[in-house]
Amino acid sequence: ERVNLEATGGLGEYNLEIFRQRAGLWANTFLRLMDLKRSRLEIPTLDLFLDGDMVSGIIHDELVKTNQVNVMDSAAYVALVMSHAIARVAQSFEETRVSCTVGNHGRLQQKVEFKEPHASWDYVCYQMMAQFLANYEHIKFDIPRSTWQITRVVNHDWLHFHGHGIRSWNNM
């Protein structure tokens, strides 16, 4: 049974149309901010970190019931929308490097497995995005088979990962 979203004011609402709108808003806002920064700085390279949860996934029974479409269709849609957004912002740079790590929502089963952490719909999304953007010679993807990655940006190494393995304590 669907919740009446008007009664909740859209609280907790999320679907593919909202995702598409947010991806467009991200691209527009990003490009506006770059225009402001470039009035004082030269920025030839864009480094994007995509750190998982690209799809809602199947790790919670609730999500299996309430996802708008199945996880395969979601992964394909997300890959296409994100590819368009990345291509759009990448036009403003000589080089765009996309560093990817998987999250927890995209994994193929509810239980965490450690031997193949890349067995994830996030990984599939990234691979599809890399294929969609393969003809853009200035856009490069780095898609490791691990849950973390070290990416060098302007002479500094950045460790990045989704963060789902970090345990909370005292509500922090």
Side-chain angles (χ1 to χ4, degrees), residues 42-78:
E42 181 179 328
I43 308 172
T45 303
L46 169 63
D47 284 284
L48 287 177
F49 292 4
L50 301 181
D51 287 324
D53 285 358
M54 301 302 289
V55 297
S56 178
I58 59 172
I59 65 167
H60 302 298
D61 291 335
E62 173 192 9
L63 297 177
V64 174
K65 293 176 193 170
T66 61
N67 282 341
Q68 183 180 12
V69 296
N70 70 53
V71 69
M72 294 169 279
D73 290 336
S74 180
Y77 185 79
V78 166

Side-chain angles (χ1 to χ4, degrees), residues 81-96:
V81 169
M82 287 300 296
S83 294
H84 283 290
I86 291 169
R88 188 160 166 235
V89 299
Q91 291 177 36
S92 299
F93 296 89
E94 295 171 21
E95 179 183 20
T96 297

Side-chain angles (χ1 to χ4, degrees), residues 13 18 21 37 49-50 56 58 64 77 97 128 149 168:
E13 181 180 6
I18 290 171
Q21 290 174 13
K37 293 290 185 189
F49 292 4
L50 301 181
S56 178
I58 59 172
V64 174
Y77 185 79
R97 301 182 307 202
M128 291 174 68
Q149 180 162 201
S168 64

